[in-house]
Amino acid sequence: MVSKVLVANRGEIAVRIIRACRELGIETVAVYSEVDRQALHVRYADEAYLLGPAPSRESYLRADKIIDIARKSGADSIHPGYGFLAERESFAAACMDAGITFIGPKPSSIAAMGDKAVARATVIKAGVKVVPGTEDVGNMTNDDLLAIAPKIGFPLLIKATAGGGGKGMREVKSLDEMPALLASARREAESAFGDGNVYLEKLIEGARHIEFQIMADGQGNVIHLGERECSLQRRHQKLLEEAPSPALSEELRQRMGSVAVKAAQAVDYVNAGTIEFLLDKDENYFFLEMNTRLQVEHPITEMVTGIDIVKEQIRIARGRALSYKQEDVKINGHSIDCRINAEDPYNDFMPSTGRITHSLVPTGPGVRVDTGVYPGFEITSFYDPLIAKLIVWGETRAQAILRMRRALEEYRIVGVQTNIPFHQTMMDSHRFMGGQYDTRFVEERFSMEDAEESRATHPEIAALLATLVAHRETKRSAQVVRRNERDASNWKWVGRWERMQR
Ligand code: MV4
C-alpha cells in the first residue's frame, strides 16, 4: 500500500517527490531541520515534522526519528530521494521491519552494489565486462595488492570498496609509489566510510562517463530508459548532463543498455537504479558501479522518454508491473540539465552562502526548473550547494543548446553567487557544441578566463561555430557574459523591479 508517503529528504528532490505524490492523490509527510522551517518541501507537503538541528547527522540522517515520525503520522511508505539515507542497507531494512514500504530496492541489492568489490564480482559472474582489476572480495592486504598490480598494469587506480564518487581514489603510475598511495587511500577511506578496504582497477584514460537508467518491477521485468552523458564534472561533482549522449550510436545504445539490464538483474534489482559505465575512445565500455537510488539528473531521461520516473517508482513499490515494455521506450529529442549551484565559478567554485533576495526563473517552451528555493530563503553551508536544476528539451541537440542559452540568459538569482556564468561559457564552448569532451574537460581543458577571452577577442569565430551548429538560428551566439556585466544586469533588474513596487 502506498497512500501516505514520508519524504526523507529536503530541497528540490523532496519537492519533486511531493509533486508526483500530489498528482497521484497520495498524502505526503515532510521532515525538516531547524534551518529548513521555511523550505519549499515543508510548504508543499500535507504535514511536516521537525527532525532537529541543521547538521545532517542530527536531522536528515536520523533514521530512528524518521521511522518514528512515519509511524506517528500514519505514513505507510518512505521515499528516501538521493543522498542522506537513500543507499543505506540498514535504513531500507529498518523500514521493512517497521512495516513501512521503502520506495527503493531491497536491502540485499543495496548491500551488493554498495561494496564496489562485491559489485564487480557479482556482475562479472553475470557476464558483464568490468575494467580489468582485482576480482577478489574481502580484505586484501597491501602485499596481495602489490603482487597483483603489475599483472593489471600501470597506470592504475586504487579505489575504496565502500566508496563511489571518487573518495579514497588514487592514481598510481608505478609500483614504487604504490605503498604510500595505498596507505593514504586507506586512510581517506577509513575516515570517510569507516572502512579502509580498497581494490584496484586499470586506469581508463580519456573516457566518457555514461550511465543507463534502469527500471525494474517486482515481477521480473527489467528495462532501461537509455543513457545520460555525465562526463562534465569537477572534483566528481557533475555540473551538467545531457541525454542522449552525443557519443552513442543507436546500435551501441542497445548493446550497452542490455548489459546494464544484465548488471541490474545480477543483484535482483527492483525499482529505479543507474548503471555507470566508462566508454573509451575505441567504444569499449566497462561497468563501473551501480547507484541504487533515484539520481539528481533523472529529469533529462524523463524529458526524452516522457516517462515519470518517480511515479513509476511508486507504481513498482505498490507491486504493480512496469507501465512500459522495452519496445515502448523511445528516445525523443534531446535534453540538457545545468546544475545551478551557489558557488563562484570565478573563484575556484567557492561555495557562496546567503539569503536569496530576488530571483527570476526561466520558463517557456521546453524549460523545466526543479528547485527547492525561492526569494527570502537562505542558502547555508549545511547541505549541498544545489539551488536548482535547469532542464531543457529540444527536438535536436542544437535546439536544446540554443534553448539552454536562452534560459540561462533569463535566469536571475540575487543574493548568492551562482555558477550560471560557467554554464553560459560552456554553452558557447566549441568543444561542448561539437560534443567532443570527456571526464577531463572541465578540470584540464576548460577555464572561464580563457573561454571568455577567446570569445571576447574572436567573437566572429564563436559566432561562426554557434551558427554552424545552430543553422542560422541565432544572432546572439557570440554574446560574452562577464562577471561584472552579469552582476550589473542583475542589479539593474532589481532596481527596475523595486521602482515598480513604489
Ligand atoms: C575510473 C576512471 C578511469 N578508470 N576508473 C570517478 C568516480 C567514480 N564513480 C569512478 N570514477 C572513475 N573511475 C577507471 N578504472 C575514471 C573515473 C572518473 C573520473 C576520474 C578522474 C577525474 C574525473 C572523473 C570523472 C568521472 C569518472
Side-chain angles (χ1 to χ4, degrees):
M1 192 177 62
V2 181
S3 58
K4 188 167 182 176
V5 172
L6 183 150
V7 181
N9 216 301
R10 65 181 300 283
E12 64 88 16
I13 197 63
V15 171
R16 166 73 187 87
I17 296 160
I18 291 167
R19 284 178 170 147
C21 292
R22 187 57 50 99
E23 290 175 20
L24 290 168
I26 295 169
E27 284 184 88
T28 53
V29 179
V31 289
Y32 61 96
S33 74
E34 283 168 7
V35 293
D36 277 342
R37 289 175 194 280
Q38 307 292 324
L40 212 54
H41 76 284
V42 173
R43 297 187 176 209
Y44 284 173
D46 294 309
E47 295 166 43
Y49 297 88
L50 179 67
L51 282 169
S56 305
R57 237 156 248 310
E58 299 173 63
S59 51
Y60 298 102
L61 289 172
R62 286 291 301 270
D64 55 338
K65 272 198 183 175
I66 289 169
I67 288 173
D68 211 42
I69 292 168
R71 273 216 199 87
K72 287 189 180 129
S73 64
D76 49 52
S77 310
I78 293 182
H79 195 307
Y82 55 70
F84 298 126
L85 300 167
E87 291 177 283
R88 302 230 173 152
E89 175 196 9
S90 59
F91 183 64
C95 289
M96 276 176 66
D97 293 345
I100 294 163
T101 302
F102 178 74
I103 305 178
K106 298 173 194 168
S108 60
S109 309
I110 298 177
M113 287 300 186
D115 183 310
K116 305 303 170 187
V118 172
R120 275 170 62 82
T122 310
V123 304
I124 289 169
K125 244 187 275 166
V128 171
K129 193 166 167 196
V130 301
V131 185
T134 47
E135 296 186 11
D136 294 328
V137 299
N139 293 342
M140 297 184 79
T141 65
N142 283 1
D143 285 347
D144 295 336
L145 296 169
L146 288 164
I148 295 167
K151 293 178 196 143
I152 298 168
F154 297 95
L156 57 75
L157 287 174
I158 302 171
K159 294 185 176 187
T161 59
K167 266 239 180 69
M169 198 161 93
R170 294 289 184 280
E171 185 176 333
V172 188
K173 293 190 182 67
S174 64
L175 192 60
D176 53 311
E177 65 177 25
M178 201 163 141
L181 290 169
L182 276 172
S184 79
R186 285 189 192 278
R187 233 179 296 121
E188 189 173 314
E190 181 67 48
S191 87
F193 314 113
D195 176 356
N197 204 11
V198 297
Y199 66 105
L200 306 178
E201 270 183 8
K202 190 166 175 55
L203 174 71
I204 308 294
E205 284 173 285
R208 286 172 177 263
H209 194 257
I210 287 173
E211 57 183 36
F212 274 74
Q213 178 68 53
I214 293 292
M215 300 301 302
D217 63 27
Q219 306 181 12
N221 302 300
V222 187
I223 66 172
H224 71 83
L225 305 185
E227 81 285 4
R228 296 182 285 262
E229 163 73 63
C230 299
S231 299
L232 292 175
Q233 52 79 51
R234 188 181 166 278
R235 299 191 179 162
H236 304 298
Q237 296 302 312
K238 292 167 188 160
L239 287 163
L240 76 95
E241 307 92 7
E242 56 178 318
S245 167
L248 261 60
S249 63
E250 184 53 35
E251 187 264 331
L252 185 54
R253 172 170 307 112
Q254 282 181 24
R255 274 196 290 142
M256 291 178 76
S258 56
V259 173
V261 166
K262 243 191 332 191
Q265 285 168 330
V267 292
D268 218 359
Y269 201 78
V270 173
N271 218 281
T274 301
I275 305 288
E276 293 185 2
F277 290 102
L278 285 176
L279 176 69
D280 76 11
K281 289 186 279 288
D282 305 318
E283 297 201 342
N284 298 306
Y285 54 89
F286 307 93
F287 168 91
L288 209 50
E289 47 190 79
M290 179 174 194
N291 300 310
T292 54
R293 58 162 193 272
L294 179 68
Q295 285 198 257
V296 179
E297 57 273 25
H298 77 277
I300 58 175
T301 300
E302 298 186 319
M303 299 293 267
V304 297
T305 60
I307 296 173
D308 185 316
I309 294 173
V310 178
K311 284 188 186 166
E312 207 62 21
Q313 285 191 291
I314 292 169
R315 185 183 167 94
I316 294 165
R318 284 173 159 163
R320 312 257 318 265
L322 290 173
S323 19
Y324 307 84
K325 304 223 171 307
Q326 188 66 62
E327 61 264 28
D328 300 330
V329 179
K330 296 274 178 293
I331 307 299
N332 178 30
H334 199 93
S335 182
I336 304 173
D337 164 40
C338 286
R339 296 193 188 187
I340 309 301
N341 290 337
E343 52 189 33
D344 183 356
Y346 294 95
N347 186 14
D348 202 30
F349 293 83
M350 179 98 84
S352 174
T353 57
R355 193 172 302 280
I356 295 180
T357 57
H358 305 75
S359 80
L360 199 51
V361 181
T363 57
V367 176
R368 165 177 171 182
V369 178
D370 279 18
T371 183
V373 308
Y374 55 92
F377 191 77
E378 192 178 343
I379 309 286
T380 66
S381 53
F382 289 107
Y383 314 111
D384 74 31
L386 187 72
I387 298 175
K389 296 184 300 208
L390 172 56
I391 302 139
V392 301
W393 179 88
E395 282 169 51
T396 62
R397 185 168 185 271
Q399 297 276 6
I401 293 173
L402 291 170
R403 189 163 268 166
M404 183 59 85
R405 288 174 177 217
R406 183 269 287 177
L408 287 164
E409 221 176 284
E410 286 181 9
Y411 217 155
R412 295 273 173 260
I413 299 173
V414 182
V416 293
Q417 296 286 349
T418 76
N419 63 353
I420 289 173
F422 164 85
H423 290 299
Q424 292 185 291
T425 307
M426 184 58 77
M427 290 302 124
D428 282 353
S429 143
H430 66 265
R431 299 210 11 132
F432 177 75
M433 284 192 256
Q436 294 150 326
Y437 59 82
D438 60 42
T439 52
R440 297 169 300 188
F441 184 52
V442 175
E443 276 162 288
E444 293 176 22
R445 312 196 54 148
F446 185 86
S447 130
M448 291 291 289
E449 288 69 27
D450 291 355
E452 292 185 355
E453 191 66 27
S454 94
R455 278 178 301 142
T457 48
H458 305 289
E460 70 287 356
I461 293 177
L464 179 66
L465 283 162
T467 309
L468 279 174
V469 172
H471 314 288
R472 293 185 287 120
E473 285 167 286
T474 177
K475 290 195 185 109
R476 303 179 64 189
S477 48
Q479 187 177 37
V480 175
V481 184
R482 285 165 176 282
R483 165 197 230 134
N484 292 340
E485 285 173 26
R486 191 160 177 99
D487 281 355
S489 92
N490 267 345
W491 288 110
K492 209 161 86 186
W493 168 70
V494 170
R496 211 186 304 157
W497 189 83
E498 281 174 352
R499 280 194 299 280
M500 274 158 44
Q501 307 303 304
R502 289 191 212 118

